[in-house]
Amino acid sequence: MAPSSIGGPGGPVGVRHHIVTVTVENKAGVLARVAGLFSRRGFNIFSLAVAPTDDERFSRITIVVDVESAPLEQIIRQLDKLVNVVAISELAPEEATERELLLATVEAGPDERGQVIQLVGVFEGRIVDVGREAITIMLAGAPNKIDDFENLIRPFGIVELQRTGRVALPKLERRTTRLRTIAGGAGEDGAG
Amino acid sequence: MRLTGAQALIKSLEMQGVEVIFGLPGGAILPVYDPILDSTIRHILVRHEQGAGHMAEGYAHVTGRPGVAMVTSGPGATNIVTPLADAAMDSVPLVVVTGQVATTAIGTDAFQECPITGVTMDITKHNWLVTDARDIPRVVAEAFHVATTGRPGPVLIDVPKDVSNSQMDWYWPSSLDDLDLPGYRPRTEGDPSAIRAAAELILRAERPVIYAGGGILKARAADALREFAERTGVPVVTTLMARGAFPDSHPLCLGMPGMHGNYTAVTAMQHADLLVALGSRFDDRVTGKVSAFAPEAKVIHVDIDPAELGKVRRADVAIAGDCRIVIEEIVEALGTLGLESGGSAGSGTTAADRPDLAPWKAQLSEWQQRFPLTYRQEEGGALKPQLVVEALRDSTPDDTIVVAGVGQHQMWASQYWRFEHPYTWVNSGGAGTMGFAVPAAIGAKVGRPDKMVWAIDGDGCFQMTAQELVTASAERIPVKIAILNNAYLGMVRQWQELFYEERYSEVYLSPDLPDYVKWAEAMGCIGMRVETAEEVAPAIEKANSVDDRPVVIDFRTDAFEKVYPMVPSGASNDDIIVGPSEGEGGR
Ligand SMILES: Cc1ncc(C[n+]2csc(CCOP(=O)(O)OP(=O)(O)O)c2C)c(N)n1
Ligand SMILES: [Mg+2]
C-alpha cells in the first residue's frame, strides 16, 4: 500500500490495526495538521472519524492506524508534538468496543425487495428510504458485522455505499488503566 | 489603551524583548511597518526574504534568543519557506510574521494571497492565522513560548491586513495561564528510575562514547557535558550540529563523527559498547547504514523530544528531558553510586568495580595517531582549501564565530577549525541549505557585535544569497567572507568523480564569472583575491583589520581536492575511506 493511503486493502482490517483516539482543540485547520502528519511521516490510516465532544472547545478524532507502517509508539509521540493535540489514548482492538455506521442504497426491485428486507431484519438494520427500484439501508454495529452485511448485500447490486469509519471506547470489563492516556500525564511519564 | 492590531503586534514584540527584526515590507504587512518607525526595535532591511530568515537563524544560533523576521504575503512569505524548513531541521527558534490579505479576501485568490499557514504546517513547530486583533498579544506570547521551550523550532504568525488595521484594547498576558495552549506541555526533568539505570550502564561500560548533538547547545548544557565527561572519563564525539559544545583541545574530545567525520570518531562509535547520546538524533549522516551502526553498543538516549527516542535506534535507556537537567541528574546519580568528582571511586561502591577504561583510551589514541586528518600543500601547486581554513583559524581570536555554507567547504571548516567555545559554529546541518552562510553570518554579527564573524563559503553557495552583503554594507555590519572558490559545485563534483565515473554533469561554475572582487566592491565591501599559499596570511590579516564594512576574499582553491575521510552514502561506517586511493591523489 502506498504510504499514508486511506482505507485498507479491501478486506477487513486485521491485527495490524490499532485505534488511536485523539482529543484536539476545536480550531481551524486542526484536522489538516493531523492528516498532514500522517502523510508527512508515511503512517497509514485505515479509517478516520471526527466529531465534537461534550466540551465544545474540543473535538475527538478516532483514527484506525496501520501499525505495520510505523511503530505505534512513534505515531503517538509524533501526534503528541502537535500543539493542538490535547490528549491521546490508544486502544488495542481486543480492548475496545468499536462501532461503525453504514448507509447503503441497494438495487431492490419488487422481486428482490423481500429478501433484502429480510437480511436487514436479521442484522437489525433499518430501512430508511424506499424507491421503486432501490432501497436505502442503515446499519450500525461492530465493524466485522458491517463487513459481513456488506458482503451479503453486494450480490443485489450496490448503488451507493458509505461507512463512517469506526469510533471506539475502552471495554468496561478491562481495567481502565489499559486506556493509556498519553498526553495529560505526559510530563511525568518520561516516555522512557 | 486603544491600539491598532499593527501597533499591538509591534508592542507585543517589544514586550518579548525583541531587539531586532529582519524583514522587507509589502502591501499586506504595510500597516505593521508604520509603528516600526516609532519603536525601539531595530529593523534590518534585507534584499531578499530568504536572507531575513537565515539572518534570524544566525542571530538565534549565537544568542540563544529567538530570531524574528517579518515579510509580506504571497511571494514574501514563500521566500522565507526555505529558512523555516532549515530552522525546523536544526531546531532553531524563529518567530516569523507574515502579512496576509484581508480576512474577507482569504480564499478568493486575491492579489498576493498565499495560504502560508498551510504551506508551512509541516515545517514549523506551530503556526497561527490571526483573525481578530484582540488575539494578537496572546498569540505573540504563545508563539515565543512555543518557539523557545521544549525542542526549539520555528513558528509563524500570519496577520491579515484588516486585522492589523482594526482597533483593540491593549493587554499583555501576564503569565502562562493566560495563554491558550491546552495541548502544549514541554518536558524538562528525566524519569528518576531511568537516570539511575543510565548511571549504572555508564559504570559498567568498557568502551563508552558520549555522542553529543546539537541538543547540548540548545539546552545550554556545554558546562554540564564537560563536568559529566571529566567525571566519568568518557570520550566525546561532537556532531556537525554540536561543534563547539565540547572543546576540540580537550583530551577527551574525539571531534566530528559521520560521513565526513574523522576516523577515530567514526570508528570509536562502531566499536563502542555504550553510546551516551545526548541531544543527538541518530541522523543518517552520522549512522551510515543504520543496521551496521555501532553494532555492539548499548544506548542511553537523552532528548527533550520523546519522538526522537527509538525513532531510528532502539535505546536501552531512553530519557525524555532537557539535556542540561538530565546530565546533571546523571552526574548526581553517579555520585550516589560512588563516582566522586575527579573520577575517583569510593571503596565498596558500584563505581569501585568499574572496568578500567585505559585499554579503550589507548586504542583511541592509537587510531588518532595512525589516522589523523591530512592534506598536502604542494609547493607552487594549487592552493589547498584546508590550508585556508587552518590559516583563518590560526590568525583569528579563538572565540571567532565561524559560519559555513553547504558543501565541501563546510566539511573542511568543521574538520580543520578548532572549536573551543559553544555558539562559535553556525551552519545548516539537517537541511543543508546552500546560501545559508552570508545571511546567517550577518545575523550572527548583529547578535554578537563584540565577536569577529567569518563565513567560510563556497562559490556556488555565495552566488545564492550574496546580495545580502548590500544589506550588511548599508547597515554597517562588518562580516568577513572567505569564498573557497573551486569553480565547481564541489561536493556534487566529488560524488560524480567517485560514484559516476568522473562524468561531470552540470557542476562547473567558472572561477572568474562572476568576478567576486568587483562584485564585492559593487556591494560596498572590500574585495580581495588570493591565488597562492603565500598570499593567504597577509590577506586574512588585512581583512581582520577592517571593522567598518564587510570584506570578501576570493580564495582560488584546488578544484580537484576532495573531502576525506568519507563513508559512502548508504554504506556501513566500517567501510570508511580514509583518503584518496593510489594514483588518485594528484588530481
Ligand atoms: C539549495 C541547495 N541546492 C542544492 C544543493 C545540493 N548541493 C549540496 S553541496 C552543493 C555544491 C555546493 O557548491 P559550493 O557552494 O561551490 O561548495 P563546494 O562544495 O564547492 O565547497 C550542492 C549543489 C543544496 N545543498 N542546497
Ligand atoms: Mg565550489
Side-chain angles (χ1 to χ4, degrees):
Chain A
M1 202 184 339
S4 73
S5 61
I6 294 192
V13 291
V15 283
R16 43 192 284 196
H17 87 271
H18 217 95
I19 303 150
V20 180
T21 306
V22 188
T23 307
V24 297
E25 286 183 80
N26 220 343
K27 288 185 177 160
V30 174
L31 182 60
R33 288 177 200 274
V34 172
L37 173 74
F38 276 78
S39 89
R40 143 144 173 64
R41 297 272 173 193
F43 304 154
N44 288 352
I45 297 176
F46 279 114
S47 78
L48 183 144
V50 196
T53 63
D54 46 7
D55 182 337
E56 66 181 17
R57 289 173 305 158
F58 304 115
S59 287
R60 184 155 296 133
I61 306 180
T62 306
I63 312 172
V64 180
V65 299
D66 174 0
V67 289
E68 262 175 27
S69 68
L72 180 66
E73 199 78 321
Q74 181 60 203
I75 297 175
I76 287 172
R77 287 174 178 178
Q78 294 292 358
L79 274 170
D80 195 25
K81 280 163 67 172
L82 294 179
V83 168
N84 298 129
V85 167
V86 178
I88 306 169
S89 51
E90 50 106 343
L91 274 174
E94 64 276 12
E95 298 166 340
T97 298
E98 302 175 75
R99 287 295 177 272
E100 195 174 351
L101 180 76
L102 167 144
L103 279 179
T105 298
V106 181
E107 281 173 29
D111 295 347
E112 299 91 27
R113 194 170 286 165
Q115 291 174 51
V116 173
I117 290 173
Q118 207 179 353
L119 262 181
V120 172
V122 170
F123 277 81
E124 295 173 324
R126 276 168 54 191
I127 311 283
V128 290
D129 200 5
V130 184
R132 234 179 318 151
E133 295 298 328
I135 58 178
T136 299
I137 302 158
M138 180 195 86
L139 178 65
N144 58 351
K145 177 175 155 186
I146 306 262
D147 291 339
D148 291 346
F149 181 72
E150 190 182 321
N151 286 332
L152 286 166
I153 57 169
R154 190 172 299 281
F156 294 99
I158 290 172
V159 181
E160 261 188 285
L161 182 143
Q162 278 189 34
R163 293 172 64 155
T164 56
R166 56 191 82 188
V167 291
L169 286 175
K171 275 190 185 157
L172 291 180
E173 62 265 35
R174 309 282 166 173
R175 287 176 297 132
T176 44
T177 50
R178 298 296 294 269
L179 171 67
R180 216 173 39 130
T181 297
I182 307 296
E188 287 74 54
D189 87 357
Chain B
M1 180 174 41
R2 291 292 279 175
L3 294 183
T4 65
Q7 290 167 331
L9 178 56
I10 295 301
K11 195 169 168 63
S12 300
L13 296 177
E14 288 170 354
M15 295 300 286
Q16 285 291 348
V18 173
E19 54 172 16
V20 58
I21 298 171
F22 304 94
L24 193 150
I29 195 78
L30 256 174
V32 187
Y33 266 80
D34 187 71
I36 286 180
L37 286 173
D38 308 318
S39 172
T40 53
I41 299 176
R42 177 182 184 191
H43 182 276
I44 291 178
L45 176 62
V46 299
R47 268 46 178 183
H48 185 293
E49 290 89 348
Q50 182 184 359
H54 292 320
M55 285 179 203
E57 287 189 88
Y59 176 91
H61 269 285
V62 300
T63 63
R65 295 195 295 273
V68 179
M70 191 181 304
V71 298
T72 193
S73 66
T78 54
N79 273 351
I80 208 160
V81 166
T82 298
L84 285 169
D86 191 273
M89 284 296 233
D90 288 347
S91 307
V92 182
L94 285 195
V95 177
V96 171
V97 178
T98 48
Q100 181 56 278
V101 300
T103 48
T104 46
I106 288 178
T108 66
D109 304 317
F111 178 64
Q112 293 192 334
E113 182 186 358
C114 167
I116 198 66
T117 49
V119 169
T120 61
M121 195 173 272
D122 286 340
I123 52 166
T124 52
K125 189 170 167 187
H126 194 59
N127 60 27
W128 291 258
L129 170 65
V130 184
T131 51
D132 186 330
R134 286 173 300 186
D135 294 340
I136 286 177
R138 195 196 77 239
V139 167
V140 170
E142 288 172 3
F144 277 80
H145 181 61
V146 169
T148 54
T149 52
R151 179 179 185 166
V155 299
L156 180 142
I157 308 173
D158 199 21
V159 188
K161 194 169 185 177
D162 57 332
V163 171
S164 42
N165 275 332
S166 64
Q167 299 275 318
M168 54 86 72
D169 285 314
W170 169 256
Y171 65 94
W172 182 246
S174 51
S175 81
L176 291 183
D177 296 336
D178 297 332
L179 306 185
D180 182 22
L181 294 170
Y184 184 68
R185 288 167 307 274
R187 300 144 208 255
T188 49
E189 308 101 83
D191 163 15
S193 62
I195 300 280
R196 167 120 191 167
E200 284 171 356
L201 271 186
I202 291 162
L203 292 179
R204 280 204 296 273
E206 291 174 11
R207 301 183 308 282
V209 173
I210 294 170
Y211 162 26
I216 294 284
L217 294 169
K218 300 299 172 342
R220 311 206 86 72
D223 289 342
L225 169 64
R226 189 169 176 153
E227 158 73 14
F228 173 56
E230 287 175 353
R231 170 92 68 118
T232 56
V234 176
V236 181
V237 301
T238 50
T239 68
L240 182 66
M241 292 311 297
R243 305 290 290 133
F246 192 72
D248 277 334
S249 61
H250 197 286
L252 288 170
C253 192
L254 303 181
M256 182 174 76
M259 180 175 269
H260 293 296
N262 72 76
Y263 181 89
T264 307
V266 172
T267 310
M269 293 174 96
Q270 285 307 91
H271 290 252
D273 67 347
L274 176 67
L275 289 182
V276 186
L278 302 173
S280 46
R281 59 184 179 87
F282 295 82
D283 180 75
D284 53 276
R285 285 297 191 263
V286 168
T287 61
K289 188 177 171 190
V290 176
S291 58
F293 174 65
E296 291 153 44
K298 286 202 151 74
V299 171
I300 298 170
H301 194 177
V302 181
D303 204 290
I304 194 144
D305 178 357
E308 289 301 338
L309 305 174
K311 185 181 83 178
V312 174
R313 168 83 176 236
R314 198 190 69 83
D316 297 271
V317 178
I319 306 174
D322 175 89
C323 263
R324 186 181 58 77
I325 295 172
V326 173
I327 293 170
E328 286 168 2
E329 288 169 341
I330 293 176
V331 168
E332 202 183 308
L334 287 166
T336 313
L337 294 171
L339 190 71
E340 288 155 13
S341 55
S344 57
S347 62
T349 63
T350 314
D353 297 333
R354 188 179 178 206
D356 182 9
L357 298 186
W360 178 229
K361 301 246 180 94
Q363 172 69 82
L364 296 173
S365 0
E366 196 241 322
W367 285 333
Q368 281 173 323
Q369 264 150 40
R370 251 173 65 206
F371 302 108
L373 291 171
T374 55
Y375 70 94
R376 203 165 68 221
Q377 175 67 58
E378 307 277 353
E379 207 160 318
L383 176 60
K384 294 291 180 183
Q386 300 96 324
L387 180 140
V388 176
V389 175
E390 289 190 321
L392 279 167
R393 174 195 76 195
D394 294 340
S395 48
T396 49
D398 80 353
D399 66 348
T400 298
I401 292 169
V402 190
V403 186
V406 170
Q408 292 182 309
H409 62 281
Q410 173 192 28
M411 293 299 118
W412 288 317
S414 176
Q415 291 176 334
Y416 286 89
W417 201 270
R418 216 165 21 243
F419 295 95
E420 297 301 331
H421 304 282
Y423 315 109
T424 56
W425 168 242
V426 179
N427 94 128
S428 165
T433 305
M434 285 177 70
F436 177 81
V438 168
I442 294 169
K445 184 68 182 173
V446 170
R448 293 305 305 262
D450 54 320
K451 292 203 178 189
M452 186 178 280
V453 176
W454 268 98
I456 296 179
D457 211 2
D459 45 330
C461 289
F462 183 80
Q463 293 186 57
M464 289 204 177
T465 49
Q467 79 282 353
E468 294 312 332
L469 285 171
V470 178
T471 307
S473 292
E475 296 275 344
R476 304 241 163 243
I477 303 163
V479 291
K480 306 180 199 308
I481 317 288
I483 305 173
L484 303 188
N485 177 4
N486 54 7
Y488 275 97
L489 297 170
M491 186 57 95
V492 183
R493 194 207 64 80
Q494 171 167 347
W495 284 52
Q496 291 178 347
E497 178 182 334
L498 296 176
F499 308 120
Y500 291 85
E501 297 155 350
E502 302 184 48
R503 285 162 55 84
Y504 297 121
S505 174
E506 304 300 323
V507 287
Y508 181 66
L509 294 177
S510 159
D512 42 25
L513 180 67
D515 181 326
Y516 294 96
V517 173
K518 281 193 190 152
W519 191 8
E521 286 168 357
M523 293 189 289
C525 311
I526 290 173
M528 290 184 259
R529 178 163 298 128
V530 168
E531 282 164 307
T532 65
E534 295 69 51
E535 297 163 5
V536 170
I540 294 171
E541 211 165 294
K542 187 169 163 208
N544 284 345
S545 70
V546 176
D547 209 32
D548 62 344
R549 72 194 67 194
V551 184
V552 176
I553 309 180
D554 170 18
F555 290 99
R556 297 289 176 87
T557 58
D558 185 354
F560 295 102
E561 189 67 13
K562 290 186 285 297
V563 183
Y564 284 112
M566 176 172 196
V567 178
S569 178
S572 158
N573 281 353
D574 291 330
D575 301 330
I576 182 168
I577 304 165
V578 182
S581 55
E582 284 300 309
E584 190 195 325
R587 291 295 316 275

